[in-house]
Amino acid sequence: MAIIHDVAAYLIDQLRPSVTDPMKLHKLAYFSQGWTLALLDRPLFEDDFEAWTYGPVAPVLYAEHRQRRYLPSWPLGDPNRLDAQETFIVGNVVRQYGALGGWQLSQLTHMAGSPWSEVRAREGVAPDMPSQVTIGKDSIKEYFKQLLA
């Protein structure tokens, strides 16, 4: 199994020559996790996402890029650690969503019924308020399975 840093490195490598902003990185990692859960019935990586104001954020990634606006590389990960199925799924996430900016991807995570909106509603967190509530992998998996149907 890959770790989240491997996925981040793969995403940034696939998006070159453009640099990736942190919001875009988090959302693409989230979509990669969601599609892997739905298609392979297992997580892509073990780290969790939290329901922050602008969508799902992986605190472990945030801790490494805090205060950086652009991410031209991710030296903490090795994109070659993704297996063939993981590479296929994450590559398709890049093809499907990679042309969108961070704000556009954020809006996709805010759709009614999404795990982000559901966990924030359940916890009583207003849309514009900060939150560090964890988005469970089971809810992410079920949401992306519904998208397949």
Side-chain angles (χ1 to χ4, degrees), residues 101-123:
W103 289 105
Q104 293 168 306
L105 294 168
S106 176
Q107 291 304 308
L108 290 177
T109 68
H110 285 56
M111 296 177 70
S114 72
W116 178 89
S117 63
E118 293 293 317
V119 73
R120 287 179 68 93
R122 187 173 56 248
E123 297 295 323

mmCIF file of all heavy atoms in Angstrom, residues 101-123:
data_model
loop_
_atom_site.group_PDB
_atom_site.id
_atom_site.type_symbol
_atom_site.label_atom_id
_atom_site.label_comp_id
_atom_site.label_asym_id
_atom_site.label_seq_id
_atom_site.Cartn_x
_atom_site.Cartn_y
_atom_site.Cartn_z
ATOM 1 N N GLY A 101 -9.057 23.974 -11.034
ATOM 2 C CA GLY A 101 -8.279 24.633 -9.997
ATOM 3 C C GLY A 101 -8.732 24.194 -8.616
ATOM 4 O O GLY A 101 -9.766 23.531 -8.453
ATOM 5 N N GLY A 102 -7.970 24.582 -7.618
ATOM 6 C CA GLY A 102 -8.286 24.225 -6.240
ATOM 7 C C GLY A 102 -9.668 24.663 -5.807
ATOM 8 O O GLY A 102 -10.382 23.918 -5.126
ATOM 9 N N TRP A 103 -10.071 25.870 -6.180
ATOM 10 C CA TRP A 103 -11.396 26.360 -5.776
ATOM 11 C C TRP A 103 -12.509 25.564 -6.436
ATOM 12 O O TRP A 103 -13.532 25.275 -5.812
ATOM 13 C CB TRP A 103 -11.541 27.844 -6.089
ATOM 14 C CG TRP A 103 -10.708 28.691 -5.188
ATOM 15 C CD1 TRP A 103 -9.545 29.332 -5.501
ATOM 16 C CD2 TRP A 103 -10.954 28.959 -3.803
ATOM 17 N NE1 TRP A 103 -9.052 29.973 -4.391
ATOM 18 C CE2 TRP A 103 -9.901 29.774 -3.337
ATOM 19 C CE3 TRP A 103 -11.954 28.589 -2.906
ATOM 20 C CZ2 TRP A 103 -9.823 30.233 -2.028
ATOM 21 C CZ3 TRP A 103 -11.879 29.047 -1.600
ATOM 22 C CH2 TRP A 103 -10.827 29.848 -1.176
ATOM 23 N N GLN A 104 -12.326 25.202 -7.700
ATOM 24 C CA GLN A 104 -13.335 24.400 -8.392
ATOM 25 C C GLN A 104 -13.449 23.012 -7.761
ATOM 26 O O GLN A 104 -14.558 22.497 -7.565
ATOM 27 C CB GLN A 104 -12.977 24.269 -9.873
ATOM 28 C CG GLN A 104 -13.057 25.576 -10.631
ATOM 29 C CD GLN A 104 -12.420 25.458 -11.995
ATOM 30 O OE1 GLN A 104 -11.260 25.059 -12.116
ATOM 31 N NE2 GLN A 104 -13.178 25.789 -13.031
ATOM 32 N N LEU A 105 -12.317 22.425 -7.428
ATOM 33 C CA LEU A 105 -12.324 21.115 -6.777
ATOM 34 C C LEU A 105 -12.972 21.211 -5.400
ATOM 35 O O LEU A 105 -13.708 20.309 -4.992
ATOM 36 C CB LEU A 105 -10.904 20.566 -6.673
ATOM 37 C CG LEU A 105 -10.237 20.235 -8.010
ATOM 38 C CD1 LEU A 105 -8.752 19.984 -7.807
ATOM 39 C CD2 LEU A 105 -10.916 19.047 -8.662
ATOM 40 N N SER A 106 -12.717 22.303 -4.710
ATOM 41 C CA SER A 106 -13.333 22.518 -3.401
ATOM 42 C C SER A 106 -14.854 22.526 -3.523
ATOM 43 O O SER A 106 -15.553 21.917 -2.712
ATOM 44 C CB SER A 106 -12.841 23.838 -2.801
ATOM 45 O OG SER A 106 -13.489 24.104 -1.582
ATOM 46 N N GLN A 107 -15.361 23.186 -4.551
ATOM 47 C CA GLN A 107 -16.811 23.234 -4.753
ATOM 48 C C GLN A 107 -17.379 21.838 -4.995
ATOM 49 O O GLN A 107 -18.474 21.525 -4.534
ATOM 50 C CB GLN A 107 -17.155 24.166 -5.920
ATOM 51 C CG GLN A 107 -16.881 25.621 -5.627
ATOM 52 C CD GLN A 107 -17.595 26.107 -4.379
ATOM 53 O OE1 GLN A 107 -18.800 25.933 -4.238
ATOM 54 N NE2 GLN A 107 -16.852 26.690 -3.450
ATOM 55 N N LEU A 108 -16.646 20.978 -5.696
ATOM 56 C CA LEU A 108 -17.113 19.611 -5.914
ATOM 57 C C LEU A 108 -17.233 18.847 -4.598
ATOM 58 O O LEU A 108 -18.125 18.018 -4.439
ATOM 59 C CB LEU A 108 -16.164 18.863 -6.857
ATOM 60 C CG LEU A 108 -16.160 19.302 -8.313
ATOM 61 C CD1 LEU A 108 -15.113 18.512 -9.099
ATOM 62 C CD2 LEU A 108 -17.534 19.132 -8.943
ATOM 63 N N THR A 109 -16.335 19.125 -3.657
ATOM 64 C CA THR A 109 -16.389 18.427 -2.365
ATOM 65 C C THR A 109 -17.499 18.949 -1.472
ATOM 66 O O THR A 109 -17.837 18.300 -0.484
ATOM 67 C CB THR A 109 -15.043 18.527 -1.608
ATOM 68 O OG1 THR A 109 -14.820 19.879 -1.198
ATOM 69 C CG2 THR A 109 -13.894 18.016 -2.457
ATOM 70 N N HIS A 110 -18.048 20.118 -1.805
ATOM 71 C CA HIS A 110 -19.093 20.740 -0.993
ATOM 72 C C HIS A 110 -20.513 20.377 -1.438
ATOM 73 O O HIS A 110 -21.481 20.850 -0.853
ATOM 74 C CB HIS A 110 -18.963 22.266 -1.050
ATOM 75 C CG HIS A 110 -17.833 22.817 -0.242
ATOM 76 N ND1 HIS A 110 -16.531 22.425 -0.411
ATOM 77 C CD2 HIS A 110 -17.828 23.740 0.735
ATOM 78 C CE1 HIS A 110 -15.763 23.087 0.429
ATOM 79 N NE2 HIS A 110 -16.518 23.887 1.145
ATOM 80 N N MET A 111 -20.645 19.543 -2.438
ATOM 81 C CA MET A 111 -21.970 19.219 -2.962
ATOM 82 C C MET A 111 -22.837 18.558 -1.897
ATOM 83 O O MET A 111 -22.340 17.859 -1.016
ATOM 84 C CB MET A 111 -21.837 18.323 -4.197
ATOM 85 C CG MET A 111 -21.143 19.029 -5.344
ATOM 86 S SD MET A 111 -20.903 17.982 -6.778
ATOM 87 C CE MET A 111 -22.582 17.831 -7.336
ATOM 88 N N ALA A 112 -24.131 18.789 -1.995
ATOM 89 C CA ALA A 112 -25.069 18.189 -1.051
ATOM 90 C C ALA A 112 -24.898 16.672 -1.059
ATOM 91 O O ALA A 112 -24.786 16.057 -2.109
ATOM 92 C CB ALA A 112 -26.502 18.560 -1.430
ATOM 93 N N GLY A 113 -24.860 16.088 0.122
ATOM 94 C CA GLY A 113 -24.713 14.653 0.260
ATOM 95 C C GLY A 113 -23.275 14.172 0.270
ATOM 96 O O GLY A 113 -23.024 12.987 0.475
ATOM 97 N N SER A 114 -22.333 15.073 0.040
ATOM 98 C CA SER A 114 -20.931 14.668 0.048
ATOM 99 C C SER A 114 -20.488 14.365 1.478
ATOM 100 O O SER A 114 -21.076 14.859 2.440
ATOM 101 C CB SER A 114 -20.049 15.779 -0.530
ATOM 102 O OG SER A 114 -19.962 16.868 0.384
ATOM 103 N N PRO A 115 -19.468 13.542 1.647
ATOM 104 C CA PRO A 115 -18.983 13.250 3.002
ATOM 105 C C PRO A 115 -18.595 14.515 3.772
ATOM 106 O O PRO A 115 -18.847 14.608 4.969
ATOM 107 C CB PRO A 115 -17.770 12.351 2.764
ATOM 108 C CG PRO A 115 -18.062 11.689 1.464
ATOM 109 C CD PRO A 115 -18.776 12.735 0.642
ATOM 110 N N TRP A 116 -18.005 15.489 3.091
ATOM 111 C CA TRP A 116 -17.646 16.761 3.738
ATOM 112 C C TRP A 116 -18.888 17.450 4.280
ATOM 113 O O TRP A 116 -18.934 17.851 5.440
ATOM 114 C CB TRP A 116 -16.925 17.671 2.733
ATOM 115 C CG TRP A 116 -16.566 19.019 3.284
ATOM 116 C CD1 TRP A 116 -15.414 19.354 3.941
ATOM 117 C CD2 TRP A 116 -17.355 20.212 3.241
ATOM 118 N NE1 TRP A 116 -15.445 20.670 4.312
ATOM 119 C CE2 TRP A 116 -16.633 21.221 3.886
ATOM 120 C CE3 TRP A 116 -18.619 20.519 2.722
ATOM 121 C CZ2 TRP A 116 -17.113 22.514 4.020
ATOM 122 C CZ3 TRP A 116 -19.095 21.805 2.861
ATOM 123 C CH2 TRP A 116 -18.341 22.789 3.502
ATOM 124 N N SER A 117 -19.923 17.604 3.449
ATOM 125 C CA SER A 117 -21.129 18.306 3.892
ATOM 126 C C SER A 117 -21.884 17.517 4.957
ATOM 127 O O SER A 117 -22.429 18.087 5.903
ATOM 128 C CB SER A 117 -22.044 18.635 2.709
ATOM 129 O OG SER A 117 -22.506 17.466 2.086
ATOM 130 N N GLU A 118 -21.893 16.199 4.825
ATOM 131 C CA GLU A 118 -22.605 15.360 5.800
ATOM 132 C C GLU A 118 -21.965 15.410 7.181
ATOM 133 O O GLU A 118 -22.652 15.539 8.194
ATOM 134 C CB GLU A 118 -22.678 13.913 5.302
ATOM 135 C CG GLU A 118 -23.539 13.722 4.075
ATOM 136 C CD GLU A 118 -25.010 13.976 4.349
ATOM 137 O OE1 GLU A 118 -25.511 13.518 5.389
ATOM 138 O OE2 GLU A 118 -25.652 14.642 3.517
ATOM 139 N N VAL A 119 -20.639 15.286 7.244
ATOM 140 C CA VAL A 119 -19.978 15.289 8.553
ATOM 141 C C VAL A 119 -20.084 16.666 9.206
ATOM 142 O O VAL A 119 -20.276 16.775 10.418
ATOM 143 C CB VAL A 119 -18.515 14.799 8.473
ATOM 144 C CG1 VAL A 119 -17.582 15.814 7.825
ATOM 145 C CG2 VAL A 119 -17.987 14.429 9.842
ATOM 146 N N ARG A 120 -20.011 17.716 8.432
ATOM 147 C CA ARG A 120 -20.134 19.065 9.001
ATOM 148 C C ARG A 120 -21.560 19.311 9.492
ATOM 149 O O ARG A 120 -21.762 19.902 10.543
ATOM 150 C CB ARG A 120 -19.683 20.102 7.981
ATOM 151 C CG ARG A 120 -18.158 20.081 7.817
ATOM 152 C CD ARG A 120 -17.679 21.068 6.798
ATOM 153 N NE ARG A 120 -17.862 22.444 7.208
ATOM 154 C CZ ARG A 120 -16.948 23.182 7.838
ATOM 155 N NH1 ARG A 120 -15.771 22.666 8.139
ATOM 156 N NH2 ARG A 120 -17.203 24.431 8.154
ATOM 157 N N ALA A 121 -22.549 18.825 8.746
ATOM 158 C CA ALA A 121 -23.939 18.971 9.182
ATOM 159 C C ALA A 121 -24.194 18.167 10.452
ATOM 160 O O ALA A 121 -24.824 18.659 11.399
ATOM 161 C CB ALA A 121 -24.889 18.530 8.066
ATOM 162 N N ARG A 122 -23.702 16.942 10.487
ATOM 163 C CA ARG A 122 -23.876 16.081 11.660
ATOM 164 C C ARG A 122 -23.239 16.690 12.906
ATOM 165 O O ARG A 122 -23.766 16.584 14.009
ATOM 166 C CB ARG A 122 -23.290 14.703 11.372
ATOM 167 C CG ARG A 122 -23.556 13.682 12.450
ATOM 168 C CD ARG A 122 -23.122 12.264 12.077
ATOM 169 N NE ARG A 122 -21.719 12.178 11.708
ATOM 170 C CZ ARG A 122 -21.260 11.910 10.487
ATOM 171 N NH1 ARG A 122 -22.100 11.704 9.496
ATOM 172 N NH2 ARG A 122 -19.972 11.839 10.243
ATOM 173 N N GLU A 123 -22.103 17.339 12.725
ATOM 174 C CA GLU A 123 -21.388 17.952 13.852
ATOM 175 C C GLU A 123 -21.860 19.376 14.142
ATOM 176 O O GLU A 123 -21.386 20.001 15.080
ATOM 177 C CB GLU A 123 -19.883 17.954 13.579
ATOM 178 C CG GLU A 123 -19.278 16.575 13.462
ATOM 179 C CD GLU A 123 -19.340 15.790 14.765
ATOM 180 O OE1 GLU A 123 -19.169 16.399 15.838
ATOM 181 O OE2 GLU A 123 -19.562 14.567 14.701
#
